[in-house]
Amino acid sequence: MSTHNRNDAVAQTKKSRVASARPEDERLPLGSTIAYGLQHVLTMYGGIIAPPLIIGSAAGLDQGEIGILITACLFMGGLATILQTVGVRWFGSQLPLVQGVSFAGVATMGAIVTSGGGLPAIFGSVIVASLVGLLIAPVFATVIRFFPPVVTGAVITTIGLTLIPVAAMWAMGGDPGADDYGSPANLALAGGTFVVVLLLSKVGVGAVSRLSILLAIVVGTVVAALFGMVDFSAVGDGPFVALPTPFAFGLPTFEIAAIVSMLIVILVTLTETTADILAVGEIVGTKVDAKRIAAGLRADMLSSAVSPVFGSFTQSAFAQNVGLVAISGVRSRFVVTAGGVVLVVLGLLPVLGRAVAAIPAPVLGGAGIVLFGTVAASGIRTLAKVDYRGNMNLIIVASAIGIGMLPIAAPDIYAEMPDWFRTIFDSGISSSAVVAILLNILFNHLRAGNSTGPSVMAAAPPRAVREDQLDALQEGDAFVGGRLVDADGNEVPVVRPGH
């Protein structure tokens, strides 16, 4: 082989490697990786500590014991995130997904606690249900063919819309029982943070624009401190270093009713994580197949099964961080791995966790408006790819989003329904996914019984005429009986392509 041909072959090999490289495998400088990872942690911190706060309070734990729950959730969330992003054989989607305690099981776990089972019954049910979820993950992942854009677009849009109330709650102060909840000062702080995000996003410096969320949170916290709206007094309370203690709340117990209830939660978690994997894959612009979904679900279930050993609960992907990937444009999974390392450190150093927890909720709310709105916008972008002509895709989207928004618009709508029903449909994400999948199967896979004529719910095909075609028409031209005639009734010949 000549030197010229050899060089061409080497260049071609390099080009093919670049072409085959996945966007999520990009490696950034260490400083940028850590900064972007910290941005992910700040975005989801409030969400990851909320479940242990709620469940710990329901279990009657004191502040010190609740603190142990929180550090355990941070520690396990970090390990789960590292497993999900780095990946090992059979485990981990290798996508930029942050893992943390799933909200899907909060109501069920609260019911288990109040029924007398206590935390040990929760831990036992999570272990058993997660192991079952681990076994069925490959089967569950085969539903990828039932997730075309009409389904994923509707679910991604619903994910963003269901998160907007979280941003609103943060913007108002985070605690509905507080005296200043919804005060003008809180809303002004949230609005100011929102404006800073927009201004920094407009800056021509790429690094500043991509770090706009993190920088806006820092700016918002500094402004809040100047006005006395930040309380750092609790940062020094408690231990500086704390190692997670296995079975700190006692050995798990295994109650049939609790396990059955938690199995429903696991099915919901599998559905939500599948939706998040598809959403982030769409945003990153990478291929997501059944094999990759199965690996992501296995990581979810393995992390969930191990979590109770250290005092944590079911793990799942955090939807709000999907929005951060979309708005920052940073698609590297190793950035999220760095965020996982930060979470592990926070779990080992409670003093750092308490410092992050001091960030005012309105600051997070201002940033959350942009983050969560971006998720919805990504879903709308996916829905723009859907063909609505002569089919029922329009009603699929309408029904999925409508059903998904019901528990958001009326949180008590299913209050009188059975617990298993509420576990599924109280989550706008899971209910939207269930409806979208079932209707897509009904109308697009089970074609038997479909009307041969267009349904009244089908979108009419759009009509358009090119501008150059209009320029060829003259005053008085008209179509009569399928023929183009001029003002005098003479037929205008139509020249067909190729003639």
Side-chain angles (χ1 to χ4, degrees), residues 154-319:
V155 174
I156 295 169
T157 302
T158 304
I159 290 174
L161 294 177
T162 56
L163 289 171
I164 294 298
V166 177
M169 182 185 69
W170 287 346
M172 297 174 72
D175 181 8
D179 293 336
D180 64 344
Y181 187 70
S183 67
N186 284 342
L187 296 179
L189 182 58
T193 304
F194 172 77
V195 171
V196 172
V197 172
L198 299 183
L199 293 177
L200 292 177
S201 300
K202 187 175 175 62
V203 172
V205 182
V208 173
S209 179
R210 287 190 291 271
L211 281 171
S212 59
I213 298 296
L214 174 60
L215 295 176
I217 290 174
V218 172
V219 171
T221 302
V222 171
V223 172
L226 294 176
F227 286 92
M229 299 176 66
V230 183
D231 182 11
F232 290 108
S233 61
V235 174
D237 296 341
F240 186 85
V241 179
L243 298 176
T245 304
F247 302 116
F249 297 94
L251 293 175
T253 59
F254 304 96
E255 300 180 4
I256 297 300
I259 292 172
V260 172
S261 298
M262 195 55 63
L263 281 172
I264 299 174
V265 172
I266 287 299
L267 291 175
V268 173
T269 301
L270 290 172
T271 303
E272 290 186 341
T273 298
T274 300
D276 288 332
I277 290 174
L278 292 169
V280 81
E282 181 77 23
I283 291 169
V284 169
T286 191
K287 180 181 178 181
V288 174
D289 54 17
K291 182 178 179 181
R292 203 166 188 184
I293 292 176
L297 296 180
R298 287 194 197 97
D300 242 16
M301 294 298 99
L302 179 62
S303 302
S304 297
V306 175
S307 288
V309 175
F310 296 99
S312 187
F313 312 104
T314 53
Q315 302 288 316
S316 70
F318 266 51

Side-chain angles (χ1 to χ4, degrees), residues 148-158 376 378-380 382-383 386 397 401:
V150 67
V151 173
T152 57
V155 174
I156 295 169
T157 302
T158 304
S378 298
I380 294 171
T382 301
L383 289 175
V386 178
V397 174
I401 295 178

